[in-house]
């Protein structure tokens, strides 16, 4: 059982230098290249951007990115990485609690990778899906349910309340509004900084909001 809530305090601690050293240097998720390669760049929101790898990947490919996170420590690390990558002008870093924040305009692309706020996971996906413009794309990368429920990030396993299935996400996407393009459950191996490896079980859902056919 998780013994804490995924609130701002939790995530600030998570991203405090030292604790953040692992995720703070992680490369972008491989699903971006697979799922987004064919899309023309436009505006994008990275919801729960952490240390910014995915936002920077998008900016390098011409997207104008709003990268939002509840943790100032994560955004500060992310902004340093964006400067080093030379994409400062293409990313707006926004400190916001996405369970209450509202954007001023919809985005051509809304993506989220492993973000799990204090509100229920699927309710969070409902919120961010509403911010996709007609004809735009939603990309969700989450932790797969049923694979080593643990005690949160310190135990390395995602907590059960942060896990989902592809079907649980697509069930929330009204077929009259969304065309589901990808809905997969997959595993991959990632390297830890000490050279060892670990397996991750992921859910990847990509959907296109109808409206500009
Ligand atoms: C596990 S990290 C993933 C970071 C990054 N997207 C990645 O894939 O490496 C989850 C991120 O979601 C952010 N987050 C959690 N709750 C949030 C909320 N309510 N609003 C905005 N960001 C939130 C955390 O601060 C953290 O950076």
């Amino acid at each position: 059982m998780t013994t804490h809530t995924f609130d701002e305090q939790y995530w600030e601690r998570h991203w405090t230098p030292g604790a953040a050293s692992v995720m703070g240097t992680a490369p972008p998720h491989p699903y971006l290249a697979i799922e987004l390669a064919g899309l023309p760049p436009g505006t994008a929101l990275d919801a729960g951007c952490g240390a910014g790898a995915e936002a920077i990947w998008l900016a390098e490919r011409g997207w104008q990115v709003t990268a939002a996170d509840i943790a100032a420590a994560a955004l500060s690390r992310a902004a340093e990485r964006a400067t080093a990558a030379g994409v400062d002008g293409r990313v707006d870093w926004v400190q916001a609690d996405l369970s209450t924040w509202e954007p001023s305009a919809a985005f051509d692309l809304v993506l989220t990778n492993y973000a799990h706020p204090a509100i229920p996971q699927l309710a969070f996906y409902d919120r961010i899906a509403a911010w996709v413009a007609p004809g735009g794309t939603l990309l969700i990368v989450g932790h797969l349910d049923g694979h080593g429920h643990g005690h949160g990030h310190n135990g390395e396993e995602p907590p059960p309340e942060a896990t989902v299935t592809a079907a649980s996400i697509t069930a929330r996407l009204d077929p009259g509004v969304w065309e589901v393009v990808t809905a997969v459950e997959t595993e991959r191996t990632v390297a830890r900084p000490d050279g060892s490896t670990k397996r991750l079980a992921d859910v990847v859902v990509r959907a296109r909001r109808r409206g500009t056919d």
Side-chain angles (χ1 to χ4, degrees):
M1 293 281 291
T2 311
T3 53
H4 56 76
T5 176
F6 291 106
D7 59 5
E8 183 175 354
Q9 235 185 359
Y10 171 85
W11 287 110
E12 285 294 358
R13 269 200 311 274
H14 176 77
W15 288 113
T16 299
S21 57
V22 177
M23 293 181 73
T25 56
H29 293 284
Y31 310 115
L32 271 70
I34 297 166
E35 298 295 334
L36 305 179
L39 288 185
T43 58
L45 170 71
D46 186 355
C49 64
E54 290 73 30
I56 292 166
W57 185 94
L58 288 166
E60 286 173 339
R61 284 154 185 81
W63 291 83
Q64 188 63 45
V65 186
T66 300
D69 202 284
I70 200 168
L75 293 169
S76 144
R77 171 79 187 117
E80 280 170 19
R81 295 176 88 187
T83 302
V87 294
D88 274 337
R90 289 201 162 275
V91 189
D92 291 327
W93 304 103
V94 176
Q95 186 183 6
D97 180 347
L98 296 173
S99 58
T100 54
W101 180 82
E102 293 286 343
S104 54
F107 298 90
D108 299 315
L109 168 67
V110 173
L111 76 162
T112 190
N113 304 279
Y114 295 162
H116 42 93
I119 63 171
Q121 194 64 41
L122 294 171
F124 174 66
Y125 294 154
D126 291 346
R127 273 186 70 71
I128 68 168
W131 303 337
V132 177
T137 293
L138 173 69
L139 176 64
I140 293 172
V141 177
H143 298 297
L144 178 60
D145 184 36
H147 283 250
H149 289 165
H151 299 268
H153 287 291
N154 293 339
E156 284 212 335
E157 301 294 350
E161 63 271 30
T163 65
V164 288
T165 62
S168 69
I169 298 173
T170 57
R172 319 272 287 210
L173 298 173
D174 176 351
V177 177
W178 295 98
E179 175 197 356
V180 174
V181 183
T182 301
V184 295
E185 298 172 351
T186 182
E187 291 197 11
R188 63 187 170 119
T189 302
V190 294
R192 295 189 184 93
D194 66 4
S196 63
T197 59
K198 67 173 174 176
R199 295 288 289 166
L200 295 177
D202 295 334
V203 173
V204 182
V205 171
R206 174 163 62 100
R208 180 179 167 279
R209 182 186 279 276
R210 303 181 194 278
T212 56
D213 299 325

